[in-house]
Amino acid sequence: MGLVLGFLVLGLPSVSFGLFEKDLSFGLKNNQEVSNLQEFLQKRGVYTGPVNGNFFSLTREGVRKFQEKENISPAFGYFG
C-alpha cells in the first residue's frame, strides 16, 4: 500500500488492514472495495453520497475531507 493508506490506517486503530487490500483510483465502477471505502467515510461523517462502488468526484471529495480531518497532507483525495 502507499503512504496515504498507511496514514489512514495508523490514524484510526479500528481500521483493519484487510478492509482495503489495494489502491483505489478515480474512475473505478461497481467495485466492492470502493463500497467499503464509501461506508468507512460515511461512518466518519465525510461522505454523504451513495454507496455504489463508484469512485468519482463525490468519493474523491470524501477521501479529501477525511485526509484534512486527520491532518494528512497533502489532501489530494487519492486512496492508496
Side-chain angles (χ1 to χ4, degrees):
M1 292 281 152
L3 185 60
V4 174
L5 180 56
F7 279 120
L8 290 173
V9 173
L10 292 176
L12 296 167
S14 63
V15 177
S16 166
F17 279 98
L19 185 60
F20 306 110
E21 298 182 7
K22 63 181 180 176
D23 295 349
L24 304 176
S25 59
F26 189 85
L28 285 173
K29 292 182 180 180
N30 301 315
N31 182 285
Q32 183 59 49
E33 290 187 50
V34 173
S35 293
N36 294 344
L37 173 62
Q38 291 167 331
E39 290 175 359
F40 172 88
L41 296 170
Q42 275 187 336
K43 290 177 183 175
R44 278 136 190 96
V46 294
Y47 177 74
T48 58
V51 175
N52 58 12
N54 298 333
F55 196 127
F56 295 119
S57 57
L58 291 176
T59 303
R60 182 176 55 198
E61 182 64 16
V63 171
R64 189 189 64 72
K65 286 179 181 179
F66 176 80
Q67 291 168 334
E68 288 177 346
K69 186 176 180 180
E70 295 297 318
N71 296 313
I72 298 169
S73 180
F76 287 135
Y78 170 76
F79 186 89

PDB file of all heavy atoms in Angstrom, residues 4-5 8 23-27 37 41 55-68 72-80:
ATOM      1  N   VAL A   4      -0.303   7.091   1.785  1.00  0.00           N
ATOM      2  CA  VAL A   4      -1.559   7.668   2.260  1.00  0.00           C
ATOM      3  C   VAL A   4      -2.372   6.649   3.033  1.00  0.00           C
ATOM      4  O   VAL A   4      -2.859   6.923   4.110  1.00  0.00           O
ATOM      5  CB  VAL A   4      -2.384   8.243   1.081  1.00  0.00           C
ATOM      6  CG1 VAL A   4      -3.735   8.714   1.557  1.00  0.00           C
ATOM      7  CG2 VAL A   4      -1.637   9.393   0.434  1.00  0.00           C
ATOM      8  N   LEU A   5      -2.492   5.433   2.528  1.00  0.00           N
ATOM      9  CA  LEU A   5      -3.250   4.401   3.221  1.00  0.00           C
ATOM     10  C   LEU A   5      -2.611   4.101   4.564  1.00  0.00           C
ATOM     11  O   LEU A   5      -3.290   3.901   5.546  1.00  0.00           O
ATOM     12  CB  LEU A   5      -3.350   3.128   2.392  1.00  0.00           C
ATOM     13  CG  LEU A   5      -4.122   1.984   3.043  1.00  0.00           C
ATOM     14  CD1 LEU A   5      -5.522   2.434   3.425  1.00  0.00           C
ATOM     15  CD2 LEU A   5      -4.188   0.805   2.131  1.00  0.00           C
ATOM     16  N   LEU A   8      -3.863   6.557   6.861  1.00  0.00           N
ATOM     17  CA  LEU A   8      -5.267   6.318   7.165  1.00  0.00           C
ATOM     18  C   LEU A   8      -5.401   5.226   8.211  1.00  0.00           C
ATOM     19  O   LEU A   8      -6.134   5.359   9.167  1.00  0.00           O
ATOM     20  CB  LEU A   8      -6.032   5.909   5.902  1.00  0.00           C
ATOM     21  CG  LEU A   8      -6.254   6.971   4.847  1.00  0.00           C
ATOM     22  CD1 LEU A   8      -6.879   6.350   3.603  1.00  0.00           C
ATOM     23  CD2 LEU A   8      -7.128   8.082   5.349  1.00  0.00           C
ATOM     24  N   ASP A  23      -4.872  -0.278  -3.997  1.00  0.00           N
ATOM     25  CA  ASP A  23      -5.121   1.130  -4.283  1.00  0.00           C
ATOM     26  C   ASP A  23      -6.484   1.272  -4.956  1.00  0.00           C
ATOM     27  O   ASP A  23      -6.877   0.418  -5.751  1.00  0.00           O
ATOM     28  CB  ASP A  23      -4.054   1.687  -5.224  1.00  0.00           C
ATOM     29  CG  ASP A  23      -2.672   1.713  -4.607  1.00  0.00           C
ATOM     30  OD1 ASP A  23      -2.555   1.494  -3.382  1.00  0.00           O
ATOM     31  OD2 ASP A  23      -1.712   1.965  -5.345  1.00  0.00           O
ATOM     32  N   LEU A  24      -7.176   2.328  -4.620  1.00  0.00           N
ATOM     33  CA  LEU A  24      -8.462   2.621  -5.237  1.00  0.00           C
ATOM     34  C   LEU A  24      -8.318   3.936  -5.972  1.00  0.00           C
ATOM     35  O   LEU A  24      -7.868   4.922  -5.392  1.00  0.00           O
ATOM     36  CB  LEU A  24      -9.556   2.710  -4.167  1.00  0.00           C
ATOM     37  CG  LEU A  24      -9.704   1.477  -3.282  1.00  0.00           C
ATOM     38  CD1 LEU A  24     -10.753   1.717  -2.206  1.00  0.00           C
ATOM     39  CD2 LEU A  24     -10.041   0.250  -4.108  1.00  0.00           C
ATOM     40  N   SER A  25      -8.706   3.960  -7.234  1.00  0.00           N
ATOM     41  CA  SER A  25      -8.460   5.149  -8.037  1.00  0.00           C
ATOM     42  C   SER A  25      -9.740   5.679  -8.672  1.00  0.00           C
ATOM     43  O   SER A  25     -10.725   4.957  -8.856  1.00  0.00           O
ATOM     44  CB  SER A  25      -7.428   4.837  -9.123  1.00  0.00           C
ATOM     45  OG  SER A  25      -7.885   3.790  -9.948  1.00  0.00           O
ATOM     46  N   PHE A  26      -9.665   6.953  -9.001  1.00  0.00           N
ATOM     47  CA  PHE A  26     -10.758   7.646  -9.653  1.00  0.00           C
ATOM     48  C   PHE A  26     -11.145   6.892 -10.924  1.00  0.00           C
ATOM     49  O   PHE A  26     -10.295   6.483 -11.710  1.00  0.00           O
ATOM     50  CB  PHE A  26     -10.319   9.074 -10.000  1.00  0.00           C
ATOM     51  CG  PHE A  26     -11.435   9.939 -10.481  1.00  0.00           C
ATOM     52  CD1 PHE A  26     -12.243  10.614  -9.583  1.00  0.00           C
ATOM     53  CD2 PHE A  26     -11.685  10.074 -11.828  1.00  0.00           C
ATOM     54  CE1 PHE A  26     -13.282  11.417 -10.024  1.00  0.00           C
ATOM     55  CE2 PHE A  26     -12.718  10.871 -12.285  1.00  0.00           C
ATOM     56  CZ  PHE A  26     -13.513  11.540 -11.381  1.00  0.00           C
ATOM     57  N   GLY A  27     -12.440   6.681 -11.086  1.00  0.00           N
ATOM     58  CA  GLY A  27     -12.950   6.034 -12.285  1.00  0.00           C
ATOM     59  C   GLY A  27     -13.368   4.583 -12.099  1.00  0.00           C
ATOM     60  O   GLY A  27     -13.989   4.018 -12.986  1.00  0.00           O
ATOM     61  N   LEU A  37     -14.967   1.578   1.189  1.00  0.00           N
ATOM     62  CA  LEU A  37     -14.406   2.901   1.459  1.00  0.00           C
ATOM     63  C   LEU A  37     -15.521   3.916   1.669  1.00  0.00           C
ATOM     64  O   LEU A  37     -15.468   4.725   2.600  1.00  0.00           O
ATOM     65  CB  LEU A  37     -13.508   3.335   0.299  1.00  0.00           C
ATOM     66  CG  LEU A  37     -12.974   4.759   0.356  1.00  0.00           C
ATOM     67  CD1 LEU A  37     -12.101   4.970   1.583  1.00  0.00           C
ATOM     68  CD2 LEU A  37     -12.209   5.090  -0.929  1.00  0.00           C
ATOM     69  N   LEU A  41     -16.120   6.100   5.015  1.00  0.00           N
ATOM     70  CA  LEU A  41     -16.175   7.562   5.006  1.00  0.00           C
ATOM     71  C   LEU A  41     -17.506   8.072   5.554  1.00  0.00           C
ATOM     72  O   LEU A  41     -17.537   9.089   6.265  1.00  0.00           O
ATOM     73  CB  LEU A  41     -15.943   8.085   3.587  1.00  0.00           C
ATOM     74  CG  LEU A  41     -14.561   7.799   2.987  1.00  0.00           C
ATOM     75  CD1 LEU A  41     -14.544   8.149   1.498  1.00  0.00           C
ATOM     76  CD2 LEU A  41     -13.466   8.541   3.732  1.00  0.00           C
ATOM     77  N   PHE A  55     -16.002   5.200  -7.828  1.00  0.00           N
ATOM     78  CA  PHE A  55     -15.057   6.187  -7.301  1.00  0.00           C
ATOM     79  C   PHE A  55     -14.989   7.355  -8.277  1.00  0.00           C
ATOM     80  O   PHE A  55     -14.204   7.363  -9.226  1.00  0.00           O
ATOM     81  CB  PHE A  55     -13.673   5.557  -7.135  1.00  0.00           C
ATOM     82  CG  PHE A  55     -12.735   6.338  -6.260  1.00  0.00           C
ATOM     83  CD1 PHE A  55     -12.111   5.723  -5.202  1.00  0.00           C
ATOM     84  CD2 PHE A  55     -12.465   7.669  -6.488  1.00  0.00           C
ATOM     85  CE1 PHE A  55     -11.225   6.412  -4.385  1.00  0.00           C
ATOM     86  CE2 PHE A  55     -11.588   8.390  -5.681  1.00  0.00           C
ATOM     87  CZ  PHE A  55     -10.966   7.753  -4.632  1.00  0.00           C
ATOM     88  N   PHE A  56     -15.866   8.323  -8.027  1.00  0.00           N
ATOM     89  CA  PHE A  56     -15.885   9.532  -8.841  1.00  0.00           C
ATOM     90  C   PHE A  56     -15.729  10.735  -7.917  1.00  0.00           C
ATOM     91  O   PHE A  56     -15.196  10.610  -6.818  1.00  0.00           O
ATOM     92  CB  PHE A  56     -17.163   9.594  -9.690  1.00  0.00           C
ATOM     93  CG  PHE A  56     -17.237   8.482 -10.711  1.00  0.00           C
ATOM     94  CD1 PHE A  56     -18.278   7.565 -10.678  1.00  0.00           C
ATOM     95  CD2 PHE A  56     -16.258   8.342 -11.689  1.00  0.00           C
ATOM     96  CE1 PHE A  56     -18.345   6.535 -11.608  1.00  0.00           C
ATOM     97  CE2 PHE A  56     -16.323   7.314 -12.622  1.00  0.00           C
ATOM     98  CZ  PHE A  56     -17.364   6.411 -12.580  1.00  0.00           C
ATOM     99  N   SER A  57     -16.189  11.886  -8.325  1.00  0.00           N
ATOM    100  CA  SER A  57     -15.902  13.121  -7.604  1.00  0.00           C
ATOM    101  C   SER A  57     -16.409  13.126  -6.157  1.00  0.00           C
ATOM    102  O   SER A  57     -15.728  13.646  -5.271  1.00  0.00           O
ATOM    103  CB  SER A  57     -16.448  14.332  -8.360  1.00  0.00           C
ATOM    104  OG  SER A  57     -17.840  14.203  -8.578  1.00  0.00           O
ATOM    105  N   LEU A  58     -17.580  12.546  -5.882  1.00  0.00           N
ATOM    106  CA  LEU A  58     -18.092  12.551  -4.506  1.00  0.00           C
ATOM    107  C   LEU A  58     -17.206  11.721  -3.576  1.00  0.00           C
ATOM    108  O   LEU A  58     -16.922  12.125  -2.444  1.00  0.00           O
ATOM    109  CB  LEU A  58     -19.526  12.013  -4.460  1.00  0.00           C
ATOM    110  CG  LEU A  58     -20.610  12.877  -5.086  1.00  0.00           C
ATOM    111  CD1 LEU A  58     -21.953  12.146  -5.047  1.00  0.00           C
ATOM    112  CD2 LEU A  58     -20.705  14.213  -4.383  1.00  0.00           C
ATOM    113  N   THR A  59     -16.757  10.578  -4.052  1.00  0.00           N
ATOM    114  CA  THR A  59     -15.888   9.722  -3.240  1.00  0.00           C
ATOM    115  C   THR A  59     -14.532  10.386  -3.051  1.00  0.00           C
ATOM    116  O   THR A  59     -13.989  10.417  -1.940  1.00  0.00           O
ATOM    117  CB  THR A  59     -15.729   8.337  -3.881  1.00  0.00           C
ATOM    118  OG1 THR A  59     -17.035   7.763  -4.046  1.00  0.00           O
ATOM    119  CG2 THR A  59     -14.873   7.420  -3.018  1.00  0.00           C
ATOM    120  N   ARG A  60     -13.978  10.939  -4.119  1.00  0.00           N
ATOM    121  CA  ARG A  60     -12.689  11.627  -4.010  1.00  0.00           C
ATOM    122  C   ARG A  60     -12.784  12.782  -3.017  1.00  0.00           C
ATOM    123  O   ARG A  60     -11.881  12.981  -2.201  1.00  0.00           O
ATOM    124  CB  ARG A  60     -12.228  12.129  -5.378  1.00  0.00           C
ATOM    125  CG  ARG A  60     -10.854  12.804  -5.302  1.00  0.00           C
ATOM    126  CD  ARG A  60     -10.336  13.223  -6.653  1.00  0.00           C
ATOM    127  NE  ARG A  60     -11.302  14.064  -7.330  1.00  0.00           N
ATOM    128  CZ  ARG A  60     -11.290  14.301  -8.629  1.00  0.00           C
ATOM    129  NH1 ARG A  60     -10.391  13.752  -9.412  1.00  0.00           N
ATOM    130  NH2 ARG A  60     -12.198  15.093  -9.160  1.00  0.00           N
ATOM    131  N   GLU A  61     -13.878  13.505  -3.047  1.00  0.00           N
ATOM    132  CA  GLU A  61     -14.065  14.614  -2.106  1.00  0.00           C
ATOM    133  C   GLU A  61     -14.180  14.098  -0.674  1.00  0.00           C
ATOM    134  O   GLU A  61     -13.660  14.704   0.265  1.00  0.00           O
ATOM    135  CB  GLU A  61     -15.306  15.435  -2.483  1.00  0.00           C
ATOM    136  CG  GLU A  61     -15.554  16.627  -1.600  1.00  0.00           C
ATOM    137  CD  GLU A  61     -14.464  17.689  -1.677  1.00  0.00           C
ATOM    138  OE1 GLU A  61     -13.649  17.680  -2.617  1.00  0.00           O
ATOM    139  OE2 GLU A  61     -14.427  18.544  -0.768  1.00  0.00           O
ATOM    140  N   GLY A  62     -14.855  12.960  -0.485  1.00  0.00           N
ATOM    141  CA  GLY A  62     -14.939  12.358   0.845  1.00  0.00           C
ATOM    142  C   GLY A  62     -13.570  11.948   1.377  1.00  0.00           C
ATOM    143  O   GLY A  62     -13.254  12.169   2.546  1.00  0.00           O
ATOM    144  N   VAL A  63     -12.742  11.367   0.510  1.00  0.00           N
ATOM    145  CA  VAL A  63     -11.387  10.991   0.917  1.00  0.00           C
ATOM    146  C   VAL A  63     -10.594  12.245   1.275  1.00  0.00           C
ATOM    147  O   VAL A  63      -9.894  12.285   2.287  1.00  0.00           O
ATOM    148  CB  VAL A  63     -10.672  10.185  -0.195  1.00  0.00           C
ATOM    149  CG1 VAL A  63      -9.200   9.979   0.134  1.00  0.00           C
ATOM    150  CG2 VAL A  63     -11.367   8.846  -0.410  1.00  0.00           C
ATOM    151  N   ARG A  64     -10.731  13.286   0.461  1.00  0.00           N
ATOM    152  CA  ARG A  64     -10.019  14.542   0.728  1.00  0.00           C
ATOM    153  C   ARG A  64     -10.440  15.139   2.072  1.00  0.00           C
ATOM    154  O   ARG A  64      -9.600  15.553   2.871  1.00  0.00           O
ATOM    155  CB  ARG A  64     -10.257  15.548  -0.403  1.00  0.00           C
ATOM    156  CG  ARG A  64      -9.371  16.795  -0.295  1.00  0.00           C
ATOM    157  CD  ARG A  64      -9.778  17.857  -1.284  1.00  0.00           C
ATOM    158  NE  ARG A  64     -11.112  18.380  -1.034  1.00  0.00           N
ATOM    159  CZ  ARG A  64     -11.449  19.180  -0.010  1.00  0.00           C
ATOM    160  NH1 ARG A  64     -10.564  19.525   0.880  1.00  0.00           N
ATOM    161  NH2 ARG A  64     -12.691  19.610   0.125  1.00  0.00           N
ATOM    162  N   LYS A  65     -11.745  15.137   2.350  1.00  0.00           N
ATOM    163  CA  LYS A  65     -12.237  15.667   3.630  1.00  0.00           C
ATOM    164  C   LYS A  65     -11.713  14.847   4.795  1.00  0.00           C
ATOM    165  O   LYS A  65     -11.342  15.397   5.835  1.00  0.00           O
ATOM    166  CB  LYS A  65     -13.770  15.678   3.653  1.00  0.00           C
ATOM    167  CG  LYS A  65     -14.377  16.755   2.805  1.00  0.00           C
ATOM    168  CD  LYS A  65     -15.897  16.677   2.865  1.00  0.00           C
ATOM    169  CE  LYS A  65     -16.548  17.720   2.000  1.00  0.00           C
ATOM    170  NZ  LYS A  65     -18.021  17.616   2.052  1.00  0.00           N
ATOM    171  N   PHE A  66     -11.678  13.527   4.630  1.00  0.00           N
ATOM    172  CA  PHE A  66     -11.133  12.670   5.677  1.00  0.00           C
ATOM    173  C   PHE A  66      -9.657  12.977   5.907  1.00  0.00           C
ATOM    174  O   PHE A  66      -9.204  13.077   7.047  1.00  0.00           O
ATOM    175  CB  PHE A  66     -11.311  11.195   5.313  1.00  0.00           C
ATOM    176  CG  PHE A  66     -10.673  10.276   6.306  1.00  0.00           C
ATOM    177  CD1 PHE A  66     -11.313   9.984   7.496  1.00  0.00           C
ATOM    178  CD2 PHE A  66      -9.430   9.732   6.072  1.00  0.00           C
ATOM    179  CE1 PHE A  66     -10.722   9.154   8.433  1.00  0.00           C
ATOM    180  CE2 PHE A  66      -8.833   8.894   6.995  1.00  0.00           C
ATOM    181  CZ  PHE A  66      -9.477   8.609   8.175  1.00  0.00           C
ATOM    182  N   GLN A  67      -8.908  13.142   4.833  1.00  0.00           N
ATOM    183  CA  GLN A  67      -7.494  13.456   4.954  1.00  0.00           C
ATOM    184  C   GLN A  67      -7.294  14.776   5.693  1.00  0.00           C
ATOM    185  O   GLN A  67      -6.422  14.885   6.562  1.00  0.00           O
ATOM    186  CB  GLN A  67      -6.840  13.504   3.572  1.00  0.00           C
ATOM    187  CG  GLN A  67      -6.745  12.136   2.927  1.00  0.00           C
ATOM    188  CD  GLN A  67      -6.375  12.197   1.470  1.00  0.00           C
ATOM    189  OE1 GLN A  67      -6.628  13.176   0.770  1.00  0.00           O
ATOM    190  NE2 GLN A  67      -5.776  11.117   0.980  1.00  0.00           N
ATOM    191  N   GLU A  68      -8.088  15.780   5.366  1.00  0.00           N
ATOM    192  CA  GLU A  68      -7.997  17.068   6.065  1.00  0.00           C
ATOM    193  C   GLU A  68      -8.340  16.908   7.543  1.00  0.00           C
ATOM    194  O   GLU A  68      -7.655  17.452   8.405  1.00  0.00           O
ATOM    195  CB  GLU A  68      -8.924  18.091   5.416  1.00  0.00           C
ATOM    196  CG  GLU A  68      -8.434  18.571   4.079  1.00  0.00           C
ATOM    197  CD  GLU A  68      -9.392  19.539   3.419  1.00  0.00           C
ATOM    198  OE1 GLU A  68     -10.568  19.667   3.858  1.00  0.00           O
ATOM    199  OE2 GLU A  68      -8.986  20.184   2.432  1.00  0.00           O
ATOM    200  N   ILE A  72      -3.803  14.872   7.319  1.00  0.00           N
ATOM    201  CA  ILE A  72      -2.960  14.204   6.340  1.00  0.00           C
ATOM    202  C   ILE A  72      -2.713  15.204   5.215  1.00  0.00           C
ATOM    203  O   ILE A  72      -3.654  15.714   4.617  1.00  0.00           O
ATOM    204  CB  ILE A  72      -3.620  12.928   5.801  1.00  0.00           C
ATOM    205  CG1 ILE A  72      -3.822  11.934   6.947  1.00  0.00           C
ATOM    206  CG2 ILE A  72      -2.784  12.322   4.689  1.00  0.00           C
ATOM    207  CD1 ILE A  72      -4.685  10.754   6.583  1.00  0.00           C
ATOM    208  N   SER A  73      -1.454  15.468   4.973  1.00  0.00           N
ATOM    209  CA  SER A  73      -1.110  16.479   3.978  1.00  0.00           C
ATOM    210  C   SER A  73      -0.104  15.907   2.989  1.00  0.00           C
ATOM    211  O   SER A  73       0.816  15.195   3.399  1.00  0.00           O
ATOM    212  CB  SER A  73      -0.519  17.687   4.695  1.00  0.00           C
ATOM    213  OG  SER A  73      -0.176  18.686   3.781  1.00  0.00           O
ATOM    214  N   PRO A  74      -0.298  16.180   1.730  1.00  0.00           N
ATOM    215  CA  PRO A  74      -1.374  16.965   1.137  1.00  0.00           C
ATOM    216  C   PRO A  74      -2.653  16.134   1.005  1.00  0.00           C
ATOM    217  O   PRO A  74      -2.591  14.921   0.847  1.00  0.00           O
ATOM    218  CB  PRO A  74      -0.831  17.334  -0.247  1.00  0.00           C
ATOM    219  CG  PRO A  74       0.111  16.219  -0.586  1.00  0.00           C
ATOM    220  CD  PRO A  74       0.701  15.767   0.735  1.00  0.00           C
ATOM    221  N   ALA A  75      -3.772  16.785   1.089  1.00  0.00           N
ATOM    222  CA  ALA A  75      -5.074  16.125   0.991  1.00  0.00           C
ATOM    223  C   ALA A  75      -5.529  16.159  -0.463  1.00  0.00           C
ATOM    224  O   ALA A  75      -6.252  17.037  -0.884  1.00  0.00           O
ATOM    225  CB  ALA A  75      -6.084  16.820   1.895  1.00  0.00           C
ATOM    226  N   PHE A  76      -5.095  15.171  -1.224  1.00  0.00           N
ATOM    227  CA  PHE A  76      -5.405  15.114  -2.663  1.00  0.00           C
ATOM    228  C   PHE A  76      -6.648  14.314  -2.980  1.00  0.00           C
ATOM    229  O   PHE A  76      -7.157  14.360  -4.073  1.00  0.00           O
ATOM    230  CB  PHE A  76      -4.244  14.513  -3.436  1.00  0.00           C
ATOM    231  CG  PHE A  76      -3.059  15.405  -3.573  1.00  0.00           C
ATOM    232  CD1 PHE A  76      -1.781  14.915  -3.348  1.00  0.00           C
ATOM    233  CD2 PHE A  76      -3.179  16.734  -3.937  1.00  0.00           C
ATOM    234  CE1 PHE A  76      -0.677  15.726  -3.491  1.00  0.00           C
ATOM    235  CE2 PHE A  76      -2.084  17.549  -4.062  1.00  0.00           C
ATOM    236  CZ  PHE A  76      -0.822  17.045  -3.840  1.00  0.00           C
ATOM    237  N   GLY A  77      -7.131  13.504  -2.027  1.00  0.00           N
ATOM    238  CA  GLY A  77      -8.262  12.644  -2.330  1.00  0.00           C
ATOM    239  C   GLY A  77      -7.847  11.355  -2.996  1.00  0.00           C
ATOM    240  O   GLY A  77      -8.681  10.606  -3.484  1.00  0.00           O
ATOM    241  N   TYR A  78      -6.546  11.071  -2.979  1.00  0.00           N
ATOM    242  CA  TYR A  78      -6.026   9.823  -3.525  1.00  0.00           C
ATOM    243  C   TYR A  78      -6.051   8.759  -2.432  1.00  0.00           C
ATOM    244  O   TYR A  78      -5.701   9.049  -1.291  1.00  0.00           O
ATOM    245  CB  TYR A  78      -4.590  10.027  -4.014  1.00  0.00           C
ATOM    246  CG  TYR A  78      -3.894   8.731  -4.383  1.00  0.00           C
ATOM    247  CD1 TYR A  78      -4.194   8.095  -5.580  1.00  0.00           C
ATOM    248  CD2 TYR A  78      -2.977   8.149  -3.536  1.00  0.00           C
ATOM    249  CE1 TYR A  78      -3.587   6.903  -5.928  1.00  0.00           C
ATOM    250  CE2 TYR A  78      -2.355   6.961  -3.868  1.00  0.00           C
ATOM    251  CZ  TYR A  78      -2.657   6.340  -5.066  1.00  0.00           C
ATOM    252  OH  TYR A  78      -2.056   5.160  -5.373  1.00  0.00           O
ATOM    253  N   PHE A  79      -6.459   7.549  -2.766  1.00  0.00           N
ATOM    254  CA  PHE A  79      -6.514   6.479  -1.779  1.00  0.00           C
ATOM    255  C   PHE A  79      -5.657   5.322  -2.250  1.00  0.00           C
ATOM    256  O   PHE A  79      -5.995   4.623  -3.190  1.00  0.00           O
ATOM    257  CB  PHE A  79      -7.961   6.008  -1.599  1.00  0.00           C
ATOM    258  CG  PHE A  79      -8.104   5.019  -0.492  1.00  0.00           C
ATOM    259  CD1 PHE A  79      -8.337   5.445   0.788  1.00  0.00           C
ATOM    260  CD2 PHE A  79      -7.965   3.663  -0.723  1.00  0.00           C
ATOM    261  CE1 PHE A  79      -8.460   4.538   1.830  1.00  0.00           C
ATOM    262  CE2 PHE A  79      -8.076   2.746   0.297  1.00  0.00           C
ATOM    263  CZ  PHE A  79      -8.323   3.185   1.580  1.00  0.00           C
ATOM    264  N   GLY A  80      -4.548   5.129  -1.613  1.00  0.00           N
ATOM    265  CA  GLY A  80      -3.678   4.030  -1.995  1.00  0.00           C
ATOM    266  C   GLY A  80      -2.394   4.038  -1.227  1.00  0.00           C
ATOM    267  O   GLY A  80      -2.140   4.859  -0.392  1.00  0.00           O
TER     268      GLY A  80
END
